[in-house]
């Protein structure tokens, strides 16, 4: 698919290049994110590799109290900047499958035959995935949801503004604007938009200067700077165009990007412009690992729940509280 490079103002290029140099000096490799994984689906799923779609497909489980003959709601699941088909999103897919949803966990960069960088990903790829889901046996095409985390939440919300056939969208650690992409070969820095639509780059919010004491969240502080209001308006996700009901989940102690302030901006914009109903679940002591199924205390990942803000206990409590609400939200919207 073709994409068009955005011509950035000289000052914007200077800021990004300076930030890249500082990131190289001060930031941990991949900001502590795991290396890109492309995990097998396991015994309850299957690998999908056809046309431009690459992912793991999980047909709805038969033990969710629903006859196998009844068409099931389906979920398009999008991971974040970890790329590929990672373990965190896989756990979400398995949990949703057990709850009676058919799930497509879609890779959009970092998988075989896909770009290594999260740059200029066509939003049409997600449209294609949703159309593919509609055609699968046992799927009710009138009950579609999109669930995304972090950069996947950014994609999910953009997709929501383009389609009228979604019943629900759940965005974990979301953003109210589109941001530049992520290229791990350049230590995370990119001069391109993350997304394209009809071959044109989606307008993006400029980054702030890197501040070593604040870490990665410092480059996203422009969204809270009133002097960048015009840039924010230009890059804003037009959430008022969405038809689906929307739930946002965030942690107030986030250190990756300001997900809770951005969640409130999404809700405010939707209310001001007669957009869809938006539910925000915000957790005071949670960070960027606020979203997903509960993690058992004996799971090795449990002690890392505070890696991007909040406390281990705060993130664990938030996940235990929010995930059942996420599942109930999608089920309720599918029943509307």
């Amino acid at each position: 698919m073709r994409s068009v490079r955005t011509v950035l103002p000289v000052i914007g290029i200077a800021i990004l290049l300076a930030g890249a140099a500082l990131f190289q000096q001060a930031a941990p490799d991949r900001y502590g994110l795991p290396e890109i994984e492309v995990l097998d689906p396991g015994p309850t799923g299957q690998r999908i590799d056809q046309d431009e779609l690459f992912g793991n497909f999980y047909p709805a489980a038969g033990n969710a109290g629903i006859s196998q003959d009844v068409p099931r709601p389906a979920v398009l699941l999008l991971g974040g900047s970890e790329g590929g088909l990672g373990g965190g999103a896989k756990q979400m897919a398995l949990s949703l499958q057990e709850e009676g949803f058919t799930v497509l966990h879609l890779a959009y960069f970092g998988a075989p035959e896909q770009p290594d960088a999260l740059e200029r990903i066509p939003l049409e790829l997600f449209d294609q995935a949703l159309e593919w889901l509609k055609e699968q046996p046992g799927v009710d095409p009138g009950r579609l949801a999109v669930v995304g985390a972090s950069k996947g939440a950014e994609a999910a919300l953009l997709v929501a503004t383009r389609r009228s056939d979604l019943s629900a969208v759940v965005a974990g650690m979301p953003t109210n604007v589109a941001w530049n992409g992520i290229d791990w070969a350049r230590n995370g820095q990119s001069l391109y938009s993350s997304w394209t639509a009809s071959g044109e780059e989606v307008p993006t919010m400029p980054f702030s200067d890197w501040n070593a004491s604040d870490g990665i969240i410092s480059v996203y502080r422009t969204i809270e700077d009133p002097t960048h209001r015009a840039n924010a308006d230009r890059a804003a996700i037009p959430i008022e165009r969405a038809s689906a009901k929307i739930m946002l989940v965030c942690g107030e102690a986030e250190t990756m990007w300001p997900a809770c302030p951005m969640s409130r901006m999404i809700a405010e914009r939707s209310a001001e412009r007669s957009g869809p109903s938006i539910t925000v679940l915000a957790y005071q002591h949670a960070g960027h690992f606020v979203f997903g199924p509960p993690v058992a205390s004996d799971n090795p990942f449990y002690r890392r729940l505070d890696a991007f803000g909040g406390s281990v206990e705060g993130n664990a409590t938030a996940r235990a509280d929010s995930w059942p609400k996420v599942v109930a939200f999608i089920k309720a919207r599918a029943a509307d």
Side-chain angles (χ1 to χ4, degrees):
M1 296 185 182
R2 297 182 62 230
S3 59
V4 180
R5 179 171 179 171
T6 300
V7 179
L8 296 174
V10 172
I11 188 170
I13 294 175
I15 288 172
L16 286 167
L17 292 177
L22 284 167
F23 276 29
Q24 289 280 8
Q25 296 171 10
D29 184 45
R30 288 177 55 90
Y31 312 110
L33 291 171
E35 292 298 318
I36 292 177
E37 299 177 305
V38 181
L39 298 179
D40 290 334
T44 65
Q46 62 192 73
R47 174 60 48 80
I48 300 300
D49 185 3
Q50 61 184 68
D51 299 324
E52 294 175 324
L53 300 182
F54 188 96
N56 289 335
F57 179 60
Y58 300 89
N63 60 352
I66 305 172
S67 168
Q68 286 287 75
D69 296 329
V70 176
R72 308 294 188 90
V75 174
L76 174 63
L77 177 63
L78 306 175
S81 58
E82 71 275 8
L85 296 169
K90 180 179 179 179
Q91 293 307 310
M92 294 186 211
L94 291 171
S95 176
L96 291 168
Q97 181 188 40
E98 290 176 359
E99 292 288 346
F101 298 101
T102 291
V103 183
L104 174 61
H105 176 197
L106 180 72
Y108 52 95
F109 82 104
E113 307 300 321
Q114 290 187 337
D116 293 330
L118 200 178
E119 296 177 329
R120 298 176 293 184
I121 306 301
L123 294 177
E124 290 83 0
L125 175 67
F126 307 117
D127 293 332
Q128 183 179 348
L130 286 164
E131 294 304 317
W132 183 89
L133 258 179
K134 283 183 174 182
E135 296 172 356
Q136 300 315 299
V139 167
D140 183 345
R143 296 191 289 169
L144 293 177
V146 182
V147 175
S150 195
K151 289 296 286 188
E154 184 178 327
L157 292 172
L158 285 167
V159 170
T161 69
R162 295 162 51 86
R163 301 184 67 99
S164 61
D165 58 349
L166 302 178
S167 59
V169 172
V170 180
M173 308 84 69
T175 170
N176 65 313
V177 295
W179 297 92
N180 268 37
I182 297 173
D183 182 357
W184 293 121
R186 301 184 68 248
N187 211 42
Q189 299 304 289
S190 172
L191 299 180
Y192 301 97
S193 176
S194 299
W195 323 105
T196 65
S198 301
E200 299 289 336
E201 291 197 8
V202 173
T204 59
M205 186 74 181
F207 292 120
S208 299
D209 293 324
W210 168 269
N211 182 313
S213 63
D214 285 344
I216 182 62
I217 197 171
S218 63
V219 304
Y220 296 104
R221 291 298 190 192
T222 43
I223 195 60
E224 299 173 292
D225 184 347
T227 66
H228 282 276
R229 179 62 184 270
N231 289 320
D233 288 344
R234 181 178 60 86
I237 296 171
I239 201 65
E240 65 276 7
R241 298 180 190 171
S243 300
K245 299 291 194 303
I246 296 172
M247 173 176 278
L248 311 176
V249 183
C250 66
E252 299 282 8
E254 171 80 80
T255 59
M256 178 66 78
W257 64 7
C260 279
M262 293 191 293
S263 294
R264 288 186 280 271
M265 292 176 191
I266 295 168
E268 289 167 6
R269 179 184 176 107
S270 190
E272 291 170 356
R273 304 189 181 208
S274 301
S277 171
I278 295 183
T279 300
V280 178
L281 303 181
Y283 294 89
Q284 183 178 0
H285 302 295
H288 206 67
F289 284 144
V290 66
F291 189 60
V295 179
S297 59
D298 60 350
N299 186 315
F301 180 62
Y302 183 85
R303 303 313 307 175
R304 293 188 55 241
L305 285 173
D306 62 350
F308 297 108
S311 65
V312 169
E313 295 76 13
N315 281 282
T317 299
R319 292 168 76 105
D321 181 76
S322 64
W323 189 250
K325 293 177 180 177
V326 166
V327 172
F329 177 81
I330 303 173
K331 286 183 176 181
R333 302 291 76 77
D336 286 348

